[in-house]
Amino acid sequence: MRVGGPARFFTEAHTAADIREAALFARRHDLPLFPLGSGSNIVVSDEGVHAVVLRMATRGTAYEQTPHGDAIVIAAAGEPWDGVVAETVARGLGGLENLSLIPGTVGAVPVQNVGAYGVEAADRIIWVEAFDAERLAHFVMTPEECAFGYRDSIFKRGGGKNLIITRVAFRLRKDHAPVTEYADIARYLADMKNSNPSPADIRDAVTAIRRAKLPDPNEIGTVGSFFKNPLIPQAAYEELKERFPECPGFPADGGLVKVPLAWILDHICGMRGLKDGAVGAHERQPLALVHYGGGTARSVRAFSEMVRNKVHEKTGIMPEYEVSFVGRFD
Ligand code: NAP
């Protein structure tokens, strides 16, 4: 978001030995170890982070094949995510193309189980290697152990927060079928008269759509979606529909309904393009809050709390944050 204060200590990890050394340093100074990717999904408090911030700069990808002919790509945590997607697509491998152009590093991908256009990281991940800073040991976790949920995993909660993701393996199936049901993708492919898209065609579609719709973090302070889409019981959705008949809803796990928060912000709360000082809700995608410059972490937090409270007042739904706040915000 281009706000926030300094790290008490900051270092980069290029090797496994660097990670271990940082963990020992943090222990000696009685400070938490805070793993950082590229900072594209966090808001750091104005006071900064009272921790040893460890930027993951480990690089490298490796490819394997299963006996069934599926490809496995194993990527180091510090690899820029979109580079890995581009590399798999260039090799003609399908599976990650819907997740094109998402900012951030590989290590951050399992944390919030990133998802876009009908594909979630959890659909492709076969294992996650992590480093336990308490036990000073690496170990491998299955997807079940990662407890993936909607934009959620064990790495966001309790003891899971102390784990440092070091490598992630994704399975790219030989018989992969393109995922094209999201309206923007379907429309793009229809315009191109493309009924049999390759992974590269879908990557082109996602790239063009995202560039047209979303703020660019290289140009403005943004973390993409600031809130999760609410998952509500069917009965609550029916009630909402009675009041707002146009309100979209998509079936989600556990009999819940996923309601696009961007629609609520736009059509119920009138917040599309709303601006208060240095912070606002983006003109084309209000779920993305933007910092225009000159603001503080406190002002970002205040704006986001105002948004949540407004949604709650109008709909009874209190949106959950998707972004992670780092440091003190009281
Ligand atoms: P969109 O296509 O305008 O759709 C609005 C919302 O409705 C999305 O958030 C999506 O939920 C849901 N949705 C739409 N079509 C759906 C379908 N066929 N089945 C199930 N759910 C459907 O959304 P958008 O803002 O342009 O974003 C496109 C995709 O990129 C979405 O998947 C979005 O999550 C992802 N994205 C993520 C971030 C981030 O920072 N995490 C930022 C930008 C975009 P889902 O969000 O669950 O897909």
Side-chain angles (χ1 to χ4, degrees):
M1 287 306 280
R2 304 191 183 193
V3 291
R8 175 70 187 85
F9 292 101
F10 182 92
T11 186
E12 285 190 338
H14 296 271
T15 64
D18 292 345
I19 301 173
R20 189 185 160 84
E21 200 180 318
L24 287 168
F25 181 91
R27 190 181 285 183
R28 273 203 306 282
H29 288 79
D30 201 19
L31 284 170
L33 185 62
F34 180 80
L36 179 70
S38 58
S40 54
N41 204 39
I42 59 172
V43 180
V44 175
S45 86
D46 296 315
E47 286 72 36
V49 191
H50 197 62
V52 176
V53 175
L54 175 65
R55 194 179 88 82
M56 296 299 287
T58 52
R59 301 295 297 266
T61 53
Y63 289 81
E64 292 176 359
Q65 231 188 10
T66 69
H68 306 293
D70 294 342
I72 311 263
V73 54
I74 302 164
E79 277 291 332
W81 169 250
D82 195 48
V84 175
V85 177
E87 192 179 89
T88 58
V89 168
R91 286 171 175 246
L93 300 170
L96 303 181
E97 61 278 8
N98 292 52
L99 305 178
S100 288
L101 217 67
I102 295 177
T105 53
V106 165
V109 166
V111 177
Q112 72 148 345
N113 180 18
V114 303
Y117 302 103
V119 173
E120 298 190 322
D123 302 334
R124 308 286 181 253
I125 288 173
I126 48 169
W127 53 258
V128 173
E129 182 192 71
F131 178 78
D132 182 340
E134 294 288 308
R135 294 177 15 233
L136 297 176
H138 280 88
F139 64 105
V140 169
M141 298 169 73
T142 63
E144 291 70 34
E145 288 170 325
C146 297
F148 291 122
Y150 183 58
R151 305 289 188 271
D152 193 37
S153 76
I154 197 160
F155 305 107
K156 279 191 157 184
R157 298 187 292 270
K161 282 185 168 182
N162 297 327
L163 299 174
I164 293 167
I165 295 168
T166 50
R167 288 192 304 164
V168 186
F170 304 86
R171 182 196 298 271
L172 308 177
R173 292 187 183 279
K174 186 175 66 174
D175 57 358
H176 169 71
V179 180
T180 58
E181 56 268 20
Y182 270 48
D184 282 354
I185 304 259
R187 204 176 303 120
Y188 184 97
L189 294 172
D191 286 350
M192 295 281 172
K193 304 195 182 348
N194 186 344
S195 55
N196 186 22
S198 66
D201 294 338
I202 298 216
R203 176 168 170 80
D204 286 348
V206 171
T207 303
I209 295 162
R210 290 187 70 105
R211 287 216 169 106
K213 195 164 179 181
L214 290 164
D216 180 351
N218 295 310
E219 289 173 4
I220 197 165
T222 178
V223 293
S225 304
F226 210 90
F227 309 95
K228 296 183 191 183
N229 287 319
L231 303 177
I232 62 174
Q234 182 71 35
Y237 177 62
E238 301 297 338
E239 255 174 58
L240 200 60
K241 281 279 271 187
E242 260 171 46
R243 294 172 55 211
F244 308 101
E246 307 280 298
C247 184
F250 298 94
D253 288 349
L256 298 171
V257 180
K258 179 179 66 179
V259 184
L261 187 58
W263 192 91
I264 295 177
L265 296 178
D266 188 4
H267 296 90
I268 302 182
C269 301
M271 284 182 161
R272 178 196 277 262
L274 179 74
K275 198 174 162 202
D276 182 10
V279 188
H282 190 249
E283 180 58 45
R284 290 188 298 276
Q285 172 42 297
L287 201 52
L289 302 191
V290 281
H291 167 222
Y292 296 96
T296 58
R298 208 164 271 112
S299 61
V300 170
R301 175 74 173 206
F303 188 89
S304 65
E305 283 293 294
M306 182 278 290
V307 171
R308 291 178 78 213
N309 289 331
K310 187 77 169 176
V311 171
H312 187 242
E313 180 194 311
K314 296 270 190 186
T315 65
I317 298 168
M318 183 57 96
E320 276 180 42
Y321 283 116
E322 189 201 86
V323 69
S324 298
F325 288 95
V326 181
R328 290 184 55 179
F329 277 87
D330 44 24

CSV table of all heavy atoms in Angstrom, one decimal, residues 20-41:
chain,number,residue,atom,x,y,z
A,20,ARG,N,18.1,-20.2,8.5
A,20,ARG,CA,18.4,-20.7,9.8
A,20,ARG,C,19.1,-19.6,10.7
A,20,ARG,O,18.8,-19.4,11.8
A,20,ARG,CB,19.3,-21.9,9.6
A,20,ARG,CG,19.6,-22.7,10.8
A,20,ARG,CD,20.6,-23.8,10.5
A,20,ARG,NE,21.2,-24.3,11.7
A,20,ARG,CZ,20.7,-25.2,12.5
A,20,ARG,NH1,19.6,-25.8,12.2
A,20,ARG,NH2,21.3,-25.5,13.6
A,21,GLU,N,20.0,-18.9,10.0
A,21,GLU,CA,20.8,-17.9,10.7
A,21,GLU,C,19.9,-16.8,11.2
A,21,GLU,O,20.0,-16.3,12.3
A,21,GLU,CB,21.8,-17.3,9.8
A,21,GLU,CG,23.0,-16.6,10.5
A,21,GLU,CD,24.0,-16.1,9.5
A,21,GLU,OE1,24.3,-16.8,8.5
A,21,GLU,OE2,24.4,-15.0,9.7
A,22,ALA,N,18.9,-16.4,10.3
A,22,ALA,CA,18.0,-15.4,10.7
A,22,ALA,C,17.1,-15.8,11.9
A,22,ALA,O,16.8,-15.0,12.8
A,22,ALA,CB,17.1,-15.0,9.5
A,23,ALA,N,16.7,-17.1,11.9
A,23,ALA,CA,15.9,-17.7,13.0
A,23,ALA,C,16.7,-17.6,14.3
A,23,ALA,O,16.1,-17.2,15.4
A,23,ALA,CB,15.5,-19.1,12.7
A,24,LEU,N,18.0,-18.0,14.2
A,24,LEU,CA,18.8,-17.9,15.4
A,24,LEU,C,19.0,-16.5,15.9
A,24,LEU,O,19.0,-16.2,17.1
A,24,LEU,CB,20.2,-18.6,15.2
A,24,LEU,CG,20.1,-20.1,15.0
A,24,LEU,CD1,21.4,-20.7,14.5
A,24,LEU,CD2,19.8,-20.7,16.4
A,25,PHE,N,19.2,-15.6,15.0
A,25,PHE,CA,19.4,-14.1,15.3
A,25,PHE,C,18.1,-13.6,16.1
A,25,PHE,O,18.2,-13.0,17.1
A,25,PHE,CB,19.6,-13.4,14.1
A,25,PHE,CG,19.8,-11.9,14.3
A,25,PHE,CD1,21.1,-11.4,14.5
A,25,PHE,CD2,18.7,-11.0,14.3
A,25,PHE,CE1,21.3,-10.0,14.7
A,25,PHE,CE2,18.9,-9.7,14.5
A,25,PHE,CZ,20.2,-9.1,14.7
A,26,ALA,N,16.9,-14.0,15.5
A,26,ALA,CA,15.7,-13.5,16.1
A,26,ALA,C,15.5,-14.1,17.5
A,26,ALA,O,15.1,-13.4,18.4
A,26,ALA,CB,14.5,-14.0,15.2
A,27,ARG,N,15.9,-15.4,17.7
A,27,ARG,CA,15.8,-16.0,19.0
A,27,ARG,C,16.7,-15.3,20.0
A,27,ARG,O,16.3,-15.0,21.1
A,27,ARG,CB,16.2,-17.5,18.8
A,27,ARG,CG,15.9,-18.3,20.1
A,27,ARG,CD,16.4,-19.7,19.9
A,27,ARG,NE,15.5,-20.5,19.0
A,27,ARG,CZ,15.7,-21.8,18.8
A,27,ARG,NH1,16.7,-22.4,19.3
A,27,ARG,NH2,14.8,-22.4,18.0
A,28,ARG,N,18.0,-15.0,19.6
A,28,ARG,CA,18.9,-14.3,20.4
A,28,ARG,C,18.4,-12.9,20.9
A,28,ARG,O,18.6,-12.5,22.0
A,28,ARG,CB,20.2,-14.1,19.7
A,28,ARG,CG,21.2,-15.3,19.9
A,28,ARG,CD,22.7,-14.8,19.7
A,28,ARG,NE,22.9,-14.1,18.4
A,28,ARG,CZ,23.0,-14.7,17.2
A,28,ARG,NH1,22.9,-16.0,17.1
A,28,ARG,NH2,23.3,-14.0,16.2
A,29,HIS,N,17.6,-12.3,20.0
A,29,HIS,CA,17.1,-10.9,20.3
A,29,HIS,C,15.7,-11.0,20.8
A,29,HIS,O,15.1,-9.9,21.0
A,29,HIS,CB,17.2,-10.0,19.1
A,29,HIS,CG,18.6,-9.6,18.7
A,29,HIS,ND1,19.5,-10.4,18.1
A,29,HIS,CD2,19.3,-8.5,19.0
A,29,HIS,CE1,20.6,-9.8,17.9
A,29,HIS,NE2,20.5,-8.6,18.5
A,30,ASP,N,15.2,-12.2,21.0
A,30,ASP,CA,13.9,-12.4,21.6
A,30,ASP,C,12.8,-11.6,20.8
A,30,ASP,O,11.9,-11.0,21.3
A,30,ASP,CB,13.8,-11.9,23.1
A,30,ASP,CG,12.7,-12.5,23.8
A,30,ASP,OD1,12.2,-13.6,23.3
A,30,ASP,OD2,12.3,-12.0,24.8
A,31,LEU,N,12.9,-11.8,19.4
A,31,LEU,CA,12.0,-11.1,18.5
A,31,LEU,C,11.3,-12.2,17.6
A,31,LEU,O,12.0,-13.2,17.3
A,31,LEU,CB,12.8,-10.1,17.6
A,31,LEU,CG,13.2,-8.8,18.2
A,31,LEU,CD1,14.1,-8.1,17.3
A,31,LEU,CD2,12.0,-7.9,18.6
A,32,PRO,N,10.1,-11.9,17.2
A,32,PRO,CA,9.6,-12.8,16.2
A,32,PRO,C,10.3,-12.7,14.8
A,32,PRO,O,10.9,-11.7,14.5
A,32,PRO,CB,8.1,-12.3,16.0
A,32,PRO,CG,8.0,-11.1,16.8
A,32,PRO,CD,9.3,-10.8,17.5
A,33,LEU,N,10.2,-13.8,14.1
A,33,LEU,CA,10.8,-13.8,12.7
A,33,LEU,C,9.6,-13.6,11.8
A,33,LEU,O,8.7,-14.3,11.8
A,33,LEU,CB,11.5,-15.1,12.5
A,33,LEU,CG,12.2,-15.3,11.1
A,33,LEU,CD1,13.4,-14.3,11.0
A,33,LEU,CD2,12.8,-16.7,11.1
A,34,PHE,N,9.7,-12.5,10.9
A,34,PHE,CA,8.6,-12.3,10.0
A,34,PHE,C,9.0,-12.5,8.6
A,34,PHE,O,9.8,-11.7,8.0
A,34,PHE,CB,8.1,-10.8,10.2
A,34,PHE,CG,6.9,-10.4,9.3
A,34,PHE,CD1,5.6,-10.8,9.7
A,34,PHE,CD2,7.1,-9.8,8.1
A,34,PHE,CE1,4.6,-10.5,8.8
A,34,PHE,CE2,6.1,-9.5,7.3
A,34,PHE,CZ,4.8,-9.9,7.7
A,35,PRO,N,8.5,-13.6,7.9
A,35,PRO,CA,8.8,-13.8,6.5
A,35,PRO,C,8.1,-12.9,5.6
A,35,PRO,O,6.9,-12.6,5.8
A,35,PRO,CB,8.4,-15.3,6.3
A,35,PRO,CG,7.3,-15.5,7.3
A,35,PRO,CD,7.5,-14.6,8.5
A,36,LEU,N,8.8,-12.3,4.7
A,36,LEU,CA,8.2,-11.4,3.7
A,36,LEU,C,8.5,-11.8,2.3
A,36,LEU,O,9.6,-12.3,2.0
A,36,LEU,CB,8.9,-10.0,3.9
A,36,LEU,CG,8.4,-8.8,3.0
A,36,LEU,CD1,7.0,-8.4,3.4
A,36,LEU,CD2,9.4,-7.7,3.2
A,37,GLY,N,7.4,-11.8,1.4
A,37,GLY,CA,7.7,-12.0,0.0
A,37,GLY,C,8.0,-10.7,-0.7
A,37,GLY,O,9.1,-10.2,-0.5
A,38,SER,N,7.0,-10.2,-1.4
A,38,SER,CA,7.3,-8.9,-2.0
A,38,SER,C,6.4,-7.8,-1.4
A,38,SER,O,6.4,-6.7,-1.9
A,38,SER,CB,7.2,-8.9,-3.5
A,38,SER,OG,5.9,-9.3,-3.8
A,39,GLY,N,5.7,-8.1,-0.3
A,39,GLY,CA,4.9,-7.1,0.4
A,39,GLY,C,3.7,-6.7,-0.3
A,39,GLY,O,3.1,-5.6,0.0
A,40,SER,N,3.2,-7.5,-1.3
A,40,SER,CA,2.1,-7.1,-2.1
A,40,SER,C,0.7,-7.4,-1.5
A,40,SER,O,-0.3,-7.0,-2.0
A,40,SER,CB,2.1,-7.7,-3.5
A,40,SER,OG,2.2,-9.1,-3.3
A,41,ASN,N,0.7,-8.0,-0.3
A,41,ASN,CA,-0.6,-8.2,0.4
A,41,ASN,C,-0.6,-7.9,1.8
A,41,ASN,O,-1.3,-8.6,2.6
A,41,ASN,CB,-1.0,-9.7,0.1
A,41,ASN,CG,-2.5,-9.9,0.2
A,41,ASN,OD1,-3.3,-9.1,-0.3
A,41,ASN,ND2,-3.0,-11.0,0.8
